[in-house]
Amino acid sequence: LGGQVVLMLDNDNAGLKGTALTGDRLSNSADVFVALYDQHQPTDVGSLELQEALVRPIGYTTWKMLRQNDLAKFEKKKEIG
């Protein structure tokens, strides 16, 4: 695959899990970044904030480190369930 991929999923539990799953899968074959924004979902983002989020995404590894506590909660639930 190669190249760069910018992930911009919803800012909810499903989006968080989806970003982690997709980022893990794609990071073996592409440079993966995550666009950060404040709204619940990308369709709620204004054009200026959207442009800024896509121009200044953070690396997937950095995103994963920043969200490690949230991601650990999902792993615990998976082990229990």
Side-chain angles (χ1 to χ4, degrees):
L1 183 64
Q4 293 184 344
V5 175
V6 178
L7 302 176
M8 191 173 184
L9 282 73
D10 289 358
N11 277 329
D12 59 11
N13 289 341
L16 180 67
K17 288 191 279 188
T19 299
L21 179 65
T22 306
D24 285 345
R25 289 185 178 171
L26 292 177
S27 62
N28 293 324
S29 58
D31 294 328
V32 180
F33 297 87
V34 179
L36 303 178
Y37 61 97
D38 293 326
Q39 285 70 24
H40 175 72
Q41 58 188 20
T43 55
D44 297 334
V45 176
S47 59
L48 182 58
E49 185 181 358
L50 175 63
Q51 185 177 14
E52 289 175 8
L54 294 174
V55 169
R56 294 179 188 25
I58 63 169
Y60 174 67
T61 304
T62 301
W63 175 86
K64 202 169 177 182
M65 287 181 358
L66 292 171
R67 300 305 299 258
Q68 65 186 349
N69 290 336
D70 296 320
L71 295 171
K73 292 175 192 174
F74 297 127
E75 288 302 314
K76 278 191 174 184
K77 286 182 182 178
K78 191 166 48 171
E79 291 172 9
I80 295 170

